[in-house]
Each structure stands twice: as C-alpha cells, then as structure tokens.
Amino acid sequence: MRCIAGAVLLFGAIAFTFLLADPWLVGTQWEDLGVVIALMAPFYVGIAVLAPLQEMATLSRQPLWQVAINALALVAIIVAMASFGALSPALLEVIGLISVLRMLMHAVFIWLHLGHVEDVPASGLAVGSAAR
C-alpha cells in the first residue's frame, strides 16, 4: 500500500508542479506541457504500481494469463489510437485509463490465484510442453 501511496504522491506532485508552471510556458514550444504531464501522471502511476506485480507474475506458474492481459491492453491502446487519429489530451486520458485497468486486472488475477499450484514438471517448463 505504501508503494501505491508513494507513486500517487510522487506523480501527483509532478503533475501539480507542471500545471502551476504551465502559464509561464504560453507562447513557447512547451505550451500546454503541464496539461500533458498531468494527463500522463495516472499512466505512470499505473506503471509504478504494476512493476512489482509484473515481477510476481514473472514468477507465476500461469504466465498465459499475464500475457493475455498485456495483449488485451495493447489491442485496446491500438484501437484507441486508431479511433482518435491524432495525439490529444483525451487520447492520453484513455491510454492512462487502460494502463490503470491493466494494473487492476493483474492485481485481481494474482489475488485470485494466490496459493494455487499447478502441476509443473521438475524441468520447470509449463504443463503441455514437450519436455515431460
């Protein structure tokens, strides 16, 4: 829980700082950068919180679901990008939302499968592999 709170505080502070600095950037090539950084903050919170879950999933005996969750998120991002057609604050919000949903899907999957052990051969390869 500290990791989540720390990530929210860190990226929230970064977003807040850039939003405060945004008026000084008007008329420069960095105009609206504060808004973009603020919109990307939830995306980076999702990454910061997801990294430890990814590490746990790497050690999971059920990697197919982890790959499926990431593939689903990738398809959702591609669909969002194609439907928006151009970079916009709304697109960044959608990508951030997809990242947070992906993190939640990983968390739910890990929570539901805690303590579940599949039959894994001594070689460490997944069930159904040729090395039985």
Side-chain angles (χ1 to χ4, degrees), residues 74-105:
L74 178 62
V75 168
I77 288 171
I78 290 170
V79 168
M81 290 171 66
S83 65
F84 278 87
L87 184 61
S88 68
L91 174 60
L92 296 176
E93 288 175 352
V94 169
I95 291 173
L97 177 63
I98 291 168
S99 175
V100 170
L101 291 174
R102 180 179 70 151
M103 177 213 42
L104 292 174
M105 288 176 66

Side-chain angles (χ1 to χ4, degrees), residues 12-132:
I14 291 169
F16 183 72
T17 301
F18 272 90
L19 280 175
L20 286 178
D22 209 35
W24 288 294
L25 301 174
V26 173
T28 70
Q29 67 182 11
W30 304 109
E31 187 171 348
D32 294 328
L33 179 65
V35 174
V36 171
I37 297 294
L39 291 173
M40 292 301 293
F43 174 77
Y44 286 107
V45 168
I47 289 173
V49 171
L50 184 62
L53 293 176
Q54 286 288 103
E55 292 297 322
M56 289 189 294
T58 301
L59 301 173
S60 171
R61 294 177 182 244
Q62 301 173 354
L64 177 62
W65 289 104
Q66 306 303 319
V67 172
I69 290 168
N70 287 330
L72 182 62
L74 178 62
V75 168
I77 288 171
I78 290 170
V79 168
M81 290 171 66
S83 65
F84 278 87
L87 184 61
S88 68
L91 174 60
L92 296 176
E93 288 175 352
V94 169
I95 291 173
L97 177 63
I98 291 168
S99 175
V100 170
L101 291 174
R102 180 179 70 151
M103 177 213 42
L104 292 174
M105 288 176 66
H106 278 289
V108 167
F109 174 80
I110 290 169
W111 180 262
L112 292 176
H113 293 91
L114 286 175
H116 289 210
V117 178
E118 285 188 4
D119 184 23
V120 177
S123 68
L125 298 176
V127 174
S129 67
R132 278 195 177 191

